[in-house]
Amino acid sequence: MVGHSHEALHRIFQKDPTLLTKALQKVLHVPFPEPRRIAALNVDLTEIEPVERRVDTLLRAETDEGTYLLVVESQGKVDERKRGSWPYYLSYLYEKYRCEPVLIVITQSSTTAQWASRPIRFGFRDWHSLTVRPLVLGPDNVPVIADERQAEKDVPLAVLSAMTHGRGPQAPAILESLAAALRTIDPDSAAVFVQFVDSCLADPQAKQMWRDLMTAIQYFWRHPLAEQVREEGREQGRAEAKAEMILRVLEWRSIPVPDAVRERVMACTDLAQLEVWAQRAVHATDAAELFAGE
């Protein structure tokens, strides 16, 4: 179970390795050749000496132009120690596998992205013995996917968008589009993606909105994270929790909630009726649409 954004940010590429090559080609505009096959490799780079070194995710991509090692590092903040460890990773991997290594850094922070994108150069001013140029994926270049149809066309990229832009003002629209798109793929893959997004949402309101959206479409309850939500619901009362969730969805979507609507929702104890209103809240443009046809 992924419980931290650091893990989710790089493990999504283990779940869907083709997402990484798409990110290189479409987001970073790097002419990386189309792989015939991609396989995950052992991330342990420890030598005989008692010094443990591990990359976050390591993939082997076989293409018509050759075989490449895709080294994915999830970076939460600026860390100058990487100036030594990243070049080490690449030289060690080349020596071990005799394949060209490519370093990709993924982050949720624009500041960290700017720092990570700076070349690492060893040598003196007019002669660099070694230069490392990381490719960086972050909130400044990963596309914002806030359209449901666009999300359905490429669900893994929509997941990456939610993971990198979950702190920004466009998070509600991104999460709503992704929630709808998840219904179009197989449930097992969707369950993994749900967990990745949940792990990366640092903003409490965004995280709660995501869980409410998953509840509203009757999907989140089959996910392992749902046990925590169920426990909270038992303590507060299932009907009360569902009613509060409906109002939160409307408020997060910037839809005004009149007192009459709030009172009617909070007074309802019929779970089936509340479920109908919850599904309507995800798409309503006016609070009164909750009660359409009633």
Side-chain angles (χ1 to χ4, degrees):
M1 179 174 176
V2 178
H4 194 278
S5 62
H6 177 92
E7 291 291 315
L9 281 171
H10 69 85
R11 284 184 56 185
I12 186 175
F13 298 114
Q14 298 177 18
K15 168 61 181 171
D16 189 336
T18 61
L19 174 62
L20 187 55
T21 57
K22 283 188 288 188
L24 291 174
Q25 297 165 350
K26 299 179 181 180
V27 177
L28 298 176
H29 305 292
V30 174
F32 190 83
E34 196 66 34
R36 297 190 306 272
R37 180 174 177 271
I38 299 181
L41 301 179
N42 192 329
V43 299
D44 193 344
L45 307 185
T46 306
E47 300 184 66
I48 296 177
E49 292 82 359
V51 177
E52 182 177 329
R53 299 179 187 270
R54 291 178 181 271
V55 296
D56 289 332
T57 285
L58 180 60
L59 303 171
R60 182 188 183 108
E62 299 176 3
T63 77
D64 291 335
E65 298 179 16
T67 300
Y68 298 88
L69 299 176
L70 304 179
V71 184
V72 185
E73 285 282 283
S74 174
Q75 194 66 28
K77 61 182 180 180
V78 174
D79 184 355
E80 291 299 335
R81 292 175 300 177
K82 297 297 184 180
R83 176 178 168 83
S85 58
W86 284 344
Y88 171 85
Y89 294 164
L90 300 183
S91 59
Y92 176 87
L93 287 168
Y94 180 78
E95 177 63 23
K96 181 176 181 178
Y97 293 101
R98 290 295 166 175
C99 298
E100 298 290 343
V102 179
L103 174 62
I104 301 102
V105 178
I106 181 166
T107 180
Q108 296 174 296
S109 164
S110 294
T111 300
T112 303
Q114 293 172 5
W115 162 79
S117 63
R118 295 201 301 264
I120 301 170
R121 296 187 175 97
F122 292 155
F124 52 91
R125 185 179 60 184
D126 297 324
W127 189 270
H128 299 128
S129 302
L130 175 66
T131 300
V132 174
R133 298 178 62 195
L135 294 164
V136 181
L137 292 167
D140 295 329
N141 56 12
V142 172
V144 172
I145 299 180
D147 178 77
E148 182 177 326
R149 282 187 287 272
Q150 187 181 1
E152 290 177 358
K153 290 180 180 178
D154 196 334
V155 175
L157 188 59
V159 173
L160 186 63
S161 177
M163 292 164 64
T164 51
H165 295 285
R167 300 177 181 177
Q170 300 183 84
I174 294 172
L175 296 177
E176 286 180 13
S177 300
L178 177 57
L182 286 174
R183 305 186 208 184
T184 66
I185 65 174
D186 70 275
D188 290 337
S189 293
V192 177
F193 289 146
V194 167
Q195 189 175 350
F196 285 158
V197 173
D198 190 272
S199 298
C200 286
L201 293 174
D203 181 81
Q205 284 192 329
K207 185 183 286 285
Q208 188 60 54
M209 179 183 181
W210 177 243
R211 293 184 174 184
D212 288 344
L213 284 169
M214 294 299 96
T215 303
I217 63 174
Q218 294 184 325
Y219 172 76
F220 192 57
W221 297 106
R222 69 179 299 277
H223 189 270
L225 288 171
E227 186 57 38
Q228 177 183 344
V229 180
R230 281 198 293 268
E231 188 62 33
E232 294 172 355
R234 294 189 192 102
E235 294 175 358
Q236 299 177 1
R238 292 179 64 191
E240 181 182 351
K242 179 76 75 173
E244 291 176 349
M245 179 271 292
I246 293 168
L247 298 176
R248 281 200 301 268
V249 170
L250 292 173
E251 291 168 354
W252 283 327
R253 298 184 64 230
S254 300
I255 296 175
V257 181
D259 290 342
V261 172
R262 184 181 302 275
E263 291 171 4
R264 181 172 175 181
V265 171
M266 292 304 300
C268 182
T269 57
D270 185 342
L271 287 172
Q273 180 64 73
L274 288 168
E275 180 58 33
V276 171
W277 291 346
Q279 294 184 28
R280 291 176 181 173
V282 176
H283 301 288
T285 56
D286 185 276
E289 293 179 19
L290 293 182
F291 316 125
E294 297 176 9

